[in-house]
């Protein structure tokens, strides 16, 4: 009997090509490269200044509790929440940040994978908010570092983040 594998949700799989073009959004981060996510994953961007760990997101006539991940240090005032689609409704995620989210349409060839050296990775890990249930120091949210027009960005592993933030038992 064949074993059933867990579906692995990766935002990168939503970077679908339309005549070689990608619709991506740059989400600002402080102390680390800004994040790149597929624009199609963004459900809403809401003005919100209070630093929180969960957010009651109201959409239509429904409301849902969404886990929040911070892209800025706690001493920096936040001004928005970027609500992202998840693998399931329960696995939706909000990114708390400050600054403007920028949308771009790029050619696939404009996005270059970048390998970070050990020093760059260590500096980036220092700025990462800790995921409460990550067991290994090697676990982090970085799916891939990329370069666009000479700028370094992070493509996050949203599946890893949300699975560490969402307690399905409670």
């Amino acid at each position: 009997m064949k074993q059933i594998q867990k579906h692995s949700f990766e935002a990168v799989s939503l970077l679908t090509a339309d005549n070689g073009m990608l619709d991506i959004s740059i989400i600002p981060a402080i102390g680390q490269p800004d994040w790149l996510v597929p624009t199609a994953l963004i459900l809403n961007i809401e003005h919100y200044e209070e630093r929180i760990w969960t957010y009651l997101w109201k959409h239509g006539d429904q409301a849902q509790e969404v886990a929040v991940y911070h892209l800025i240090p706690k001493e920096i005032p936040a001004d928005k929440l970027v609500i992202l689609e998840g693998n399931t409704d329960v696995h939706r995620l909000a990114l708390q940040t400050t600054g403007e989210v920028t949308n771009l349409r790029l050619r696939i060839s404009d996005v270059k994978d970048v390998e970070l050296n050990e020093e760059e990775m260590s500096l980036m890990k220092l700025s990462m908010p800790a995921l409460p249930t990550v067991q290994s120091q090697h676990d982090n949210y970085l799916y891939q570092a990329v370069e666009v027009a000479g700028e370094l960005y992070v493509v996050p592993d949203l599946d890893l983040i949300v699975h560490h933030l969402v307690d399905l038992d409670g």
Side-chain angles (χ1 to χ4, degrees):
M1 180 177 243
K2 186 176 176 183
Q3 184 178 8
I4 298 174
Q5 289 186 315
K6 172 190 162 292
H7 169 70
S8 177
F9 174 74
E10 293 175 4
V12 173
S13 66
L14 293 179
L15 290 174
T16 56
D18 177 21
N19 296 323
M21 301 299 284
L22 305 171
D23 291 319
I24 56 112
S25 293
I26 300 170
I27 301 174
I30 295 179
Q32 60 183 303
D34 292 342
W35 285 22
L36 285 186
V37 298
T39 302
L41 280 183
I42 298 177
L43 297 172
N44 202 18
I45 299 174
E46 303 198 11
H47 181 79
Y48 202 87
E49 295 180 355
E50 182 183 343
R51 188 173 181 92
I52 54 173
W53 298 102
T54 59
Y55 178 68
L56 187 60
W57 178 52
K58 296 177 181 142
H59 49 103
D61 60 349
Q62 298 179 20
Q64 175 187 358
E65 191 93 1
V66 179
V68 175
Y69 188 77
H70 304 98
L71 296 180
I72 55 176
K74 56 183 133 183
E75 61 274 4
I76 304 288
D79 69 6
K80 69 179 44 67
L81 288 169
V82 180
I83 313 296
L84 300 177
E85 183 60 276
N87 193 18
T88 67
D89 289 352
V90 174
H91 291 96
R92 287 182 176 142
L93 176 68
L95 301 175
Q96 192 160 36
T97 190
T98 188
E100 294 305 312
V101 175
T102 308
N103 298 318
L104 296 176
R105 188 163 175 85
L106 302 171
R107 294 190 185 289
I108 294 171
S109 59
D110 291 338
V111 181
K112 310 283 187 217
D113 288 354
V114 174
E115 293 298 321
L116 299 177
N117 64 39
E118 214 171 287
E119 182 182 344
E120 291 169 319
M121 197 59 184
S122 294
L123 288 172
M124 193 179 295
K125 282 184 179 182
L126 286 175
S127 67
M128 293 177 191
L131 292 171
T133 59
V134 172
Q135 302 301 320
S136 166
Q137 66 184 27
H138 301 293
D139 288 342
N140 65 70
Y141 64 71
L142 178 66
Y143 178 77
Q144 178 66 53
V146 296
E147 185 178 300
V148 175
E151 291 290 321
L152 183 65
Y153 296 98
V154 167
V155 177
D157 185 341
L158 297 173
D159 188 44
L160 178 116
I161 294 168
V162 80
H163 277 88
H164 286 289
L165 292 177
V166 175
D167 177 13
L168 293 177
D169 296 329

